[in-house]
């Protein structure tokens, strides 16, 4: 039974890199008929940010990334928040000490800092490891009895992992193959603190084990920690059930150099967070895909392809298709560059998949905001006609407003270019035609374009664009006669009359 977890720390809004990690876990779980778990890793209380946990839950829910167990759902392996699991970690730290895999350390921050400086002066880097640990204040250098005496006296301590000297540790990564590191390169990481809180490393391994996690799919930034994690499984005697690891490639800046950061988003004007985030301390607001009008399906599809491909050229894939097609073998080892144009392309594609009714819902809401009410069938018709020009719902009003209200001003540049002094004569003729010929496409087309414009040797572009200025306010919009038919005879005539009056006075 496959069991995977997404294990964010509630230190702020969830970066889209984190969203992609959650998505890949979800696709993997669903594909294998397994379970997806949301665990909150909040052991570092100094970095705790109020609201972040709720944000994570809301963001993943918006994107359709669903969980089977988790902090918000409960489940048979709970609690799912590490601070709520606090009492269970001490026994594991003590087990490691008993078995010789860890030790108590009493070094004060100043002592550690002094050591670092001492090494720096010799152009070396201090590492708390097998070469240095006996020079430090810990239960190995002081003896267990002295250590116990200090603990009983209430002296603060930490528990550190004791890496064996000079062994090669191999992590079998599903994406990268075997990654081997020598223990001499690794420092004796802190696992537990005397306040009873484990660090990330201990809590993560204990939880993955006790929650029966089978696969750990997470960002590449955790690869350097993986040898320690493998050693911890060994030290606990849990090697047989150790999860399989897959470290995902980084999401890179659009230029390709370095990890995608919040600052890149600010600089280039795209969100790096799924939802808008209001920082509770600074009050700073960071933009979100949801509030920018992106559709969750578009964001999911775009993220799925950042670091993975289905092995074909197919780009548009629904969540169900992704679940079918996803495979770890096609996850790239290289970082994936963020591409804003591609994000917009996905959004445009998914916007086109909305029904006319759904687009009309957005349009109707915007009309309301402008104090306009209109016939629903008409709104749906406009939505269907105009949606191919739209990428974000917020563009609807500006793109469609002239279907619902006459222009209040006329684009100066367009007027200067098209509206020549003789134009009021031609526009008066348009009114006459509309008043006399049957109000249908072919009749208007023939009367206007053939019998009037062409027969009199007039410039079609100039006359038709002037008509457009009169009706729309600028030279944009759908086919002119279609638009006239949509607006109706009376409304069109009113707009043309108004333009004749306004533009004559102004010119
Ligand atoms: N809490 C870690 C994070 O915030 C989880 C890393 C892991 O998945 O092991 O990314």
């Amino acid at each position: 039974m496959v069991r995977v977890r997404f294990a964010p720390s509630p230190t702020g809004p969830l970066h889209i890199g984190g969203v992609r990690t959650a998505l890949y876990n979800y696709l993997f779980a669903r594909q294998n008929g397994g379970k997806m778990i949301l665990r909150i890793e909040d052991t570092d209380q100094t970095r705790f940010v109020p609201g972040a946990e709720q944000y994570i839950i809301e963001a993943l829910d918006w994107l359709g990334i669903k969980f089977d167990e988790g902090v918000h759902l409960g489940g048979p392996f709970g609690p799912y928040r590490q601070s709520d699991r606090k009492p269970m970690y001490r026994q594991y730290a003590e087990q490691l000490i008993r078995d010789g895999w860890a030790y108590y350390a009493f070094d004060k921050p100043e002592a550690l800092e002094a050591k670092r400086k001492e090494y720096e002066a010799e152009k070396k880097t201090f590492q708390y490891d097998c070469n240095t640990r006996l020079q430090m204040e810990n239960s190995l250098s002081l003896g267990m009895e002295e250590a116990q005496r200090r603990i009983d006296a209430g002296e603060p301590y930490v528990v550190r992992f004791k890496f064996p000297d000079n062994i090669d540790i191999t992590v079998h990564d599903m994406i990268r193959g075997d990654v081997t590191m020598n223990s001499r390169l690794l420092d004796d990481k802190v696992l537990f603190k005397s306040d009873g809180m484990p660090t990330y490393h201990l809590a993560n391994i204990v939880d993955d084990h006790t929650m029966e996690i089978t696969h750990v799919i997470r960002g590449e930034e955790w690869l350097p920690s993986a040898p320690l994690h493998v050693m911890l499984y060994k030290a606990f005697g849990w090697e047989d059930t150790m999860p399989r690891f897959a470290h995902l490639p980084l999401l890179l800046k659009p230029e390709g150099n370095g990890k995608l950061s919040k600052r890149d988003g600010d600089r280039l004007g795209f969100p790096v967070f799924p939802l808008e985030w209001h920082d509770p301390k600074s009050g700073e607001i960071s933009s979100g895909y949801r509030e920018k009008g992106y559709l969750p399906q578009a964001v999911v599809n775009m993220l799925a392809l950042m670091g993975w491909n289905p092995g074909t050229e197919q780009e548009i894939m629904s969540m169900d298709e992704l679940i079918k097609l996803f495979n770890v073998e096609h996850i790239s080892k290289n970082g994936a560059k963020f591409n804003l144009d591609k994000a917009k392309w996905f959004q445009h594609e998914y916007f086109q998949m909305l029904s006319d009714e759904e687009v009309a819902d957005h349009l109707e809401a915007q009309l309301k905001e402008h104090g306009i009410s209109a016939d629903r069938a008409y709104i749906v018709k406009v939505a269907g006609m105009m949606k191919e020009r739209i990428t974000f719902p917020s563009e609807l009003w500006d793109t469609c407003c002239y279907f619902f209200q006459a222009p209040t001003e006329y684009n100066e540049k367009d007027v200067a270019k098209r509206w020549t002094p003789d134009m009021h004569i031609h526009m008066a003729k348009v009114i006459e035609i509309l008043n006399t010929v049957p109000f249908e496409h072919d009749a208007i087309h023939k009367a206007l374009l053939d019998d009037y414009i062409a027969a009199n040797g007039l410039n079609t572009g100039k006359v038709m664009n002037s008509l457009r200025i009169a009706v729309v306010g600028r030279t944009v919009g759908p086919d002119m006669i279609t638009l006239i038919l949509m607006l109706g005879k009376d409304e069109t005539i009113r707009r043309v009359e108004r333009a004749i009056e306004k533009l004559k006075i102004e010119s």
Side-chain angles (χ1 to χ4, degrees):
M1 166 64 129
V2 164
R3 289 176 59 80
V4 295
R5 85 300 195 272
F6 180 54
S9 298
T11 54
L14 185 60
H15 185 276
I16 50 165
V19 175
R20 189 199 55 178
T21 300
L23 174 64
Y24 284 14
N25 274 282
Y26 175 74
L27 297 177
F28 187 76
R30 284 290 171 274
Q31 178 169 73
N32 291 289
K35 297 271 187 259
M36 167 80 166
I37 291 126
L38 178 62
R39 182 173 75 221
I40 296 293
E41 301 208 322
D42 61 346
T43 53
D44 189 352
Q45 296 283 321
T46 58
R47 295 181 63 216
F48 176 82
V49 173
E53 181 181 309
Q54 204 42 50
Y55 176 98
I56 292 165
I57 293 168
E58 195 182 328
L60 297 174
D61 187 58
W62 175 64
L63 289 160
I65 298 171
K66 305 270 182 250
F67 292 87
D68 301 296
E69 298 166 29
V71 69
H72 54 318
L73 301 169
F77 295 84
Y80 293 92
R81 190 184 292 110
Q82 288 183 330
S83 56
D84 295 337
R85 299 168 70 81
K86 185 177 166 185
M88 65 176 283
Y89 298 111
R90 182 182 292 275
Q91 54 178 311
Y92 292 103
E94 284 170 357
Q95 178 188 334
L96 291 178
I97 291 173
R98 238 184 3 255
D99 296 346
W101 283 104
Y103 56 90
Y104 294 111
F106 302 94
D107 315 274
K108 306 238 161 6
E110 311 83 67
L112 288 168
E113 191 48 39
K115 236 342 174 220
R116 250 175 242 130
K117 289 251 163 68
E118 188 187 306
Y119 271 67
E120 247 168 50
E122 292 176 37
K123 302 232 174 319
K124 288 192 289 185
T125 315
F126 173 70
Q127 182 168 276
Y128 207 123
D129 61 13
C130 56
N131 293 315
T132 58
R133 60 171 83 106
L134 287 177
Q135 308 160 23
M136 309 302 290
E137 271 186 69
N138 52 50
S139 55
L140 301 174
S141 60
L142 302 166
M144 202 53 183
E145 234 169 81
E146 169 63 7
Q148 197 56 55
R149 197 194 57 73
R150 291 189 181 201
I151 292 168
D152 294 343
E155 196 171 311
Y157 62 86
V158 298
V159 174
R160 285 182 182 271
F161 188 70
K162 188 179 157 200
F163 267 112
D165 184 17
N166 195 20
I167 57 159
D168 281 336
I169 306 162
T170 299
V171 180
H172 302 288
D173 188 88
M174 292 163 76
I175 298 166
R176 273 149 231 280
D178 284 357
V179 180
T180 302
M181 212 181 272
N182 190 277
S183 61
R184 288 208 168 154
L185 295 170
L186 302 164
D187 64 326
D188 289 351
K189 278 271 178 315
V190 173
L191 300 177
F192 190 81
K193 289 170 278 179
S194 49
D195 64 1
M197 263 300 187
T199 60
Y200 156 72
H201 301 291
L202 180 69
N204 187 269
I205 271 43
V206 166
D207 288 350
D208 281 350
H209 175 72
T210 55
M211 292 181 180
E212 298 178 12
I213 298 303
T214 57
H215 296 78
V216 167
I217 303 170
R218 61 184 174 189
E220 190 187 290
E221 63 273 27
W222 298 103
L223 189 57
S225 303
L228 168 64
H229 297 172
V230 168
M231 283 307 289
L232 280 167
Y233 282 101
K234 200 191 256 287
F236 281 121
W238 298 336
E239 260 179 311
D240 291 352
T241 55
M242 180 167 79
R244 299 192 63 195
F245 292 101
H247 289 92
L248 306 175
L250 293 176
L251 292 194
L252 304 175
K253 295 178 193 300
E255 309 89 282
N257 51 347
K259 202 173 149 181
L260 182 68
S261 73
K262 182 168 122 36
R263 246 172 278 130
D264 299 313
D266 298 339
R267 182 169 59 91
L268 300 166
F270 64 88
V272 295
F273 300 118
L275 317 179
E276 194 170 275
W277 168 255
H278 297 241
D279 189 273
K281 266 197 213 124
S282 65
E284 190 198 351
I285 297 174
S286 306
S287 67
Y289 280 87
R290 182 178 65 181
E291 289 71 13
K292 285 262 181 198
Y294 280 86
L295 293 161
Q297 312 89 291
V299 178
V300 161
N301 197 154
M302 165 192 88
L303 283 179
L305 285 171
M306 287 188 70
W308 171 83
N309 66 76
T312 63
E313 297 294 301
Q314 187 180 356
E315 290 193 286
I316 297 292
M317 283 164 275
S318 67
M319 190 70 106
D320 285 343
E321 273 177 290
L322 287 170
I323 290 169
K324 273 199 215 104
L325 295 170
F326 187 73
N327 55 0
V328 176
E329 295 75 54
H330 280 138
I331 296 178
S332 158
K333 289 191 188 67
N334 308 321
K337 269 187 244 172
F338 183 84
N339 181 339
L340 181 58
D341 291 336
K342 200 75 202 183
K344 285 190 183 153
W345 180 81
F346 275 112
Q347 166 66 15
H348 186 261
E349 292 296 308
Y350 275 89
F351 194 81
Q352 303 317 304
M353 291 182 223
L354 295 183
S355 67
D356 295 354
E357 290 283 345
E358 285 170 302
V359 177
D361 289 344
H362 287 287
L363 180 55
E364 192 162 14
Q366 290 174 27
L367 291 174
K368 265 207 193 98
E369 276 170 34
H370 287 88
I372 294 172
S373 59
D375 177 47
R376 174 72 187 180
Y378 181 70
I379 299 174
V380 174
K381 203 165 166 199
V382 172
M385 216 170 119
M386 300 303 284
K387 84 178 174 194
E388 66 177 20
R389 296 162 189 250
I390 306 256
T391 300
F392 296 100
S394 58
E395 296 162 5
L396 275 164
W397 166 254
D398 198 46
T399 313
C400 306
C401 58
Y402 53 83
F403 283 94
F404 303 92
Q405 64 176 22
T408 48
E409 50 193 39
Y410 305 93
N411 182 284
E412 273 175 40
K413 266 201 197 133
D414 291 342
V415 171
K417 192 165 164 209
R418 306 288 188 181
W419 197 281
T420 41
D422 58 335
M423 207 45 78
H424 65 281
I425 301 168
H426 306 313
M427 290 301 122
K429 188 70 192 173
V430 169
I431 295 172
E432 193 193 308
I433 290 169
L434 290 178
N435 271 326
T436 46
V437 305
F439 197 64
E440 43 101 10
H441 194 281
D442 292 352
I444 299 172
H445 191 277
K446 183 175 177 298
L448 187 55
L449 282 114
D450 302 343
D451 301 349
Y452 182 64
I453 297 176
N456 291 292
L458 300 173
N459 180 330
T460 313
K462 219 149 115 187
V463 178
M464 291 308 280
N465 275 304
S466 292
L467 178 55
R468 202 176 274 287
I469 290 168
V471 173
V472 174
R474 56 200 151 127
T475 50
V476 296
D479 168 68
M480 199 54 224
I481 296 177
T482 310
L483 179 57
I484 290 173
L485 293 170
M486 286 278 286
L487 291 173
K489 187 157 104 180
D490 295 348
E491 176 63 15
T492 307
I493 291 175
R494 261 199 302 277
R495 290 188 188 188
V496 177
E497 280 170 349
R498 197 157 166 273
I500 294 172
E501 197 189 300
K502 287 274 270 180
L503 294 172
K504 208 161 134 190
I505 296 164
E506 281 164 17
S507 57

